[in-house]
Amino acid sequence: MISFRTHRVLTTWQIPHGSPDMGGVSADGKVLWLSGRYSHEVYAIDTANGHLLARIPVGAGPHGLSVWPQPGRHSLGHTGILR
């Protein structure tokens, strides 16, 4: 967790045996979803406290997630880049 005000690391969220890659935040801002590119799973993390809510087994090499709805109408081709 980084403070945009002070530009300092406030805390580090741990994912046991994980390989977090790309993801997105739910529309309500409560859950951070990350793909586990080298661990064959997807993670759900509580944005209030950094606790791991779920580890969801998926196929090999998940890379990025689409988390919808999000603000904007068009994806520019990468996770979280919308207009």
Side-chain angles (χ1 to χ4, degrees):
M1 172 81 81
I2 298 171
S3 167
F4 287 105
R5 185 176 58 82
T6 64
H7 303 278
R8 294 191 176 157
V9 175
L10 301 176
T11 187
T12 301
W13 295 347
Q14 300 296 320
I15 299 175
H17 301 77
S19 60
D21 190 32
M22 298 167 55
V25 177
S26 62
D28 63 5
K30 294 182 179 183
V31 180
L32 171 63
W33 292 91
L34 298 171
S35 60
R37 190 170 189 179
Y38 302 108
S39 58
H40 313 285
E41 56 193 358
V42 168
Y43 312 108
I45 300 170
D46 187 325
T47 59
N49 55 28
H51 291 156
L52 184 64
L53 299 171
R55 292 172 71 180
I56 304 164
V58 297
H63 182 60
L65 295 172
S66 292
V67 182
W68 298 98
Q70 289 292 320
R73 295 182 55 187
H74 307 283
S75 171
L76 299 179
H78 212 277
T79 302
I81 302 176
L82 301 166
R83 295 286 182 257

